[in-house]
Amino acid sequence: MPRIRRQWPWGLLLRGGLLAGVGVVAGASLLGVLWPEPEPSGAGRGPESISDLANLPNRAVTVLVIGLDADQLNAASNKAAPSGPANADALLLVRVNPDGPVQVLPLPTSLAVQLPGETAPQSLASLYRSGGAALTADAVRELVGLPAGRPDRFVVLSRGALRALVEGLGSVEVNPRRTMRYSDKTQELEIDLQAGVQRLSPLQMEHLARWRDPAKPLESRLESHQQVVESLHQELRLQGMGANLPELVRLLRGQVNTNLSQGEILSLLAAALRPDTSVSITTLPLAAPRQGEAAKATGLRERAAQLPQPFWPEGKAGDGKQASSKAP
């Protein structure tokens, strides 16, 4: 099980609130490296196509996307299970290549991590409560084997932000592979989605993201997140500038926490929504579940002991085939 290695005094950083700011400072210092200076444009003239949104990044940019189990970013209670402050309910690494596919690596939130000084492992999802996006990013870097400095940026969004995004698009075309039904009165949650091609409302898209099969909770949740990503990418590509992407980005700024500037977001959208861009999804290899009552009670999983090297290489132009999304 990977241990999260840091060179700083953990207690001081967490108590002083400095840890959450590390990613912001580091991200800002890389601005000139990742994104070229914008070219001057005609006064008052807005973008006419996706390619006009912004200059593309100079190299592949990896973004950690953290979806919370709370309705709003600063909600006192997540109104979910387990109850309490927000946990990371969805974790994705998204790599936007300036001339290749959009690469997505979904991460099981039940992955086990061992923090320095702690005697017992905890879930990757729980790190957000104690150390925010910065601590979560450090754990992800260790688990996946990313190079130093990656991920480059982070985006934290609530369930309300997902609904707002879909509302801005009107609805999203989705093709659920199965009928999805789930009821939980304690969470006031009623999921009832039919299989087949259909357009989903903001609330239905949230339900798709939250659904899991009790018989295969890990695999089904990752599959649901894959469908959300693929469907949003396809919808954004189809609507193009008709979705008024700059305005949509401005509307969402107050509902997400990120160290991406608006210009950087538009740059990533310009690269990710090119007409010939596809989505390539990779699965993190996992070790077989541990046996025993104690291991089963925690529900924690571990990554495979030896990952292929390089495990998640940057995509090449024209390499748009989608990888299997089934978790072992």
Side-chain angles (χ1 to χ4, degrees), residues 104-116:
V104 180
L105 179 63
L107 298 169
T109 55
S110 56
L111 279 172
V113 293
Q114 184 81 48
L115 295 180

Side-chain angles (χ1 to χ4, degrees), residues 2-22 113-118 122-124 126-143:
R3 291 179 176 271
I4 312 307
R5 298 186 295 271
R6 297 302 291 262
Q7 297 178 348
W8 306 309
W10 283 79
L12 176 60
L13 288 174
L14 290 175
R15 288 193 299 271
L18 298 178
L19 189 57
V22 171
V113 293
Q114 184 81 48
L115 295 180
E118 298 293 334
Q122 62 189 91
S123 70
L124 182 60
S126 66
L127 298 185
Y128 184 80
R129 286 189 179 186
S130 55
L135 179 57
T136 307
D138 285 337
V140 167
R141 184 183 307 112
E142 293 283 344
L143 286 163

Side-chain angles (χ1 to χ4, degrees), residues 128-169:
Y128 184 80
R129 286 189 179 186
S130 55
L135 179 57
T136 307
D138 285 337
V140 167
R141 184 183 307 112
E142 293 283 344
L143 286 163
V144 177
L146 295 176
R150 306 292 192 278
D152 302 285
R153 300 289 194 271
F154 68 82
V155 175
V156 181
L157 67 158
S158 64
R159 290 171 177 161
L162 174 60
R163 296 195 303 271
L165 172 59
V166 178
E167 183 176 0
L169 296 172

